[in-house]
Amino acid sequence: MSKLSITYTPHLSIPENAEKAGVSVAAVRKYMAQRDISGRENNFRNRLTTLCKAVERMEKRGIVPTHKRLCEATGFSSKTVRKYAAILQKNGVKTYTDLVCNFPSSLPIIKSVAYTQKEILENIIRLYIPSKKIDCDLTYSVGKMWKGLPCPAWKFDKYPQIEGVRPLEEVEKMTCKVHSVMADPPFVISSGQTIDHMGKSLVHGSNMTSNRFSCFNSEEQMQQANAYLLSQAYRILIEKGILIYKIQDTISSGKQIFTHLWVANHAQQVGFELVDIFILHTKQRILSPKHQNQQHARKYHAYFLVFRKK
Ligand SMILES: C[S@@+](CC[C@H](N)C(=O)[O-])C[C@H]1O[C@@H](n2cnc3c(N)ncnc32)[C@H](O)[C@@H]1O
């Protein structure tokens, strides 16, 4: 049997070799078989080369070759990218060492549930906020939420408590656009409550949460406040901008109010797409004697809904 003579380039795939040599894929396979070039070894080299090239191309364009991007660019599975990236690193391919170390796979897995809001916010930022900071907070209060995280440049609150926080209605005058917005409104409904000019309840012995963060008199009032926040967030966000909405369900007059569902539905009517849900699990809750006669599950969780402006 006469030996085929084609120009075979080891780092190219079989179809690429075929195209380059102007022969069929079957001819390349035959060529490899005649010279004992193992398909397995060939695959191994091809994959390594494909990964290297993808990294190089991204670097040239100033793009960080993250694990996810490498999977997309090479069409390889997550497992394959991890395997070959590790080989590159082991073989001392210094150019790629940092990239391999920076692969998100070396970071902890992002879970939908956490015990701290810092972990949830960090994870949302990791997944959805390329600038790595939230631009605007519509319910800043004293900014406890941002401890250990970059603080938003734009701070608003219905009842500003500290310097640098502007009254919420001033958001309507904002003409520039932001990439990300946070909202964490009150969630307690307490009919018959009178709220003072600082948003505090005037009723002695009222609910601790409503005293600290204000509350609503009715479900309608709560819906109006949520609708206002959603519409303003939509207005100030750029297209594809991200809104993070912290919300808890509540009970009013013995009835469960699934506020997170209302917010999720209304946000979609406003023009947002719900892209993720994180659940903050609280280990402890204040229990009152009323809980002796329990009618519903005591809620030990809050939601962080992540929306993208369509
Ligand atoms: C749960 S707190 C926010 C806490 C804040 N994220 C933090 O980390 O400190 C809710 C905030 O919403 C504000 N607020 C009260 N009534 C409101 C309303 N009707 N609309 C929007 N925000 C309101 C309160 O002043 C309060 O600061």
Side-chain angles (χ1 to χ4, degrees), residues 247-267:
I247 196 71
Q248 286 189 52
D249 296 334
T250 191
I251 291 176
S252 172
S253 310
K255 185 182 137 203
Q256 298 216 63
I257 300 183
F258 296 105
T259 318
H260 83 282
L261 293 178
W262 190 91
V263 169
N265 287 329
H266 192 79

Side-chain angles (χ1 to χ4, degrees), residues 119-136:
E119 182 181 334
I120 292 184
L121 285 169
E122 277 171 348
N123 284 339
I124 294 174
I125 290 172
R126 236 178 94 190
L127 280 176
Y128 299 104
I129 313 285
S131 68
K132 303 296 168 214
K133 59 173 180 38
I134 307 301
D135 294 336
C136 174

Side-chain angles (χ1 to χ4, degrees), residues 139-145 157-159 168 184-186 213-214 216 225 229:
T139 51
Y140 189 82
S141 185
V142 289
K144 214 174 143 216
M145 174 175 267
D157 198 282
K158 174 123 172 142
Y159 306 104
L168 183 59
D184 171 18
F213 294 133
S214 190
F216 301 106
L229 291 170

Side-chain angles (χ1 to χ4, degrees), residues 24-251:
S24 68
V25 166
V28 177
R29 285 195 199 285
K30 196 170 166 192
Y31 175 91
M32 287 167 66
Q34 284 175 348
R35 282 160 185 80
D36 276 331
I37 300 173
S38 126
R40 203 181 151 81
E41 193 191 328
N42 189 266
N43 265 347
F44 174 83
R45 264 183 285 147
N46 280 341
R47 286 186 183 165
L48 218 48
T49 312
T50 308
L51 192 71
C52 276
K53 281 186 178 173
V55 173
E56 271 171 17
R57 269 198 305 276
M58 285 183 201
E59 271 189 324
K60 263 190 203 152
R61 288 161 53 203
I63 299 170
V64 180
T66 60
H67 185 198
K68 193 175 163 209
R69 286 186 185 131
L70 286 173
C71 290
E72 283 165 5
T74 57
F76 296 164
S77 70
S78 178
K79 206 172 147 196
T80 307
V81 167
R82 206 161 293 150
K83 176 179 159 188
Y84 286 92
I87 293 168
L88 286 182
Q89 189 185 21
K90 229 185 193 167
N91 288 326
V93 182
K94 289 203 177 65
T95 331
Y96 306 120
T97 307
D98 290 345
L99 302 170
V100 174
C101 291
N102 282 338
F103 282 163
S105 58
S106 62
L107 293 168
I109 190 88
I110 292 175
K111 290 184 236 147
S112 57
V113 184
Y115 282 106
T116 67
Q117 62 182 1
K118 183 168 180 271
E119 182 181 334
I120 292 184
L121 285 169
E122 277 171 348
N123 284 339
I124 294 174
I125 290 172
R126 236 178 94 190
L127 280 176
Y128 299 104
I129 313 285
S131 68
K132 303 296 168 214
K133 59 173 180 38
I134 307 301
D135 294 336
C136 174
D137 186 346
L138 298 176
T139 51
Y140 189 82
S141 185
V142 289
K144 214 174 143 216
M145 174 175 267
W146 304 110
K147 202 168 166 220
L149 292 166
C151 195
W154 296 86
K155 305 177 191 72
F156 297 95
D157 198 282
K158 174 123 172 142
Y159 306 104
Q161 293 186 49
I162 55 171
E163 215 178 301
V165 181
R166 297 147 89 174
L168 183 59
E169 62 268 22
E170 282 188 18
V171 74
E172 293 169 30
K173 295 185 206 148
M174 205 169 142
T175 49
C176 65
K177 299 278 180 197
V178 293
H179 290 76
S180 50
V181 173
M182 177 78 216
D184 171 18
F187 55 90
V188 175
I189 299 175
S190 184
S191 51
Q193 288 274 9
T194 313
I195 305 296
D196 70 10
H197 69 288
M198 290 300 288
K200 305 280 179 210
S201 169
L202 293 175
V203 177
H204 180 69
S206 59
N207 179 303
M208 269 175 68
T209 312
S210 55
N211 256 336
R212 207 170 134 215
F213 294 133
S214 190
C215 67
F216 301 106
N217 280 145
S218 64
E219 191 176 349
E220 290 69 37
Q221 201 185 63
M222 181 172 74
Q223 289 174 354
Q224 273 171 20
N226 283 314
Y228 178 78
L229 291 170
L230 287 168
S231 68
Q232 288 305 318
Y234 188 85
R235 198 185 62 74
I236 62 172
L237 274 170
I238 57 155
E239 205 180 306
K240 307 268 178 236
I242 295 289
L243 166 65
I244 307 165
Y245 212 100
K246 182 180 173 196
I247 196 71
Q248 286 189 52
D249 296 334
T250 191
I251 291 176

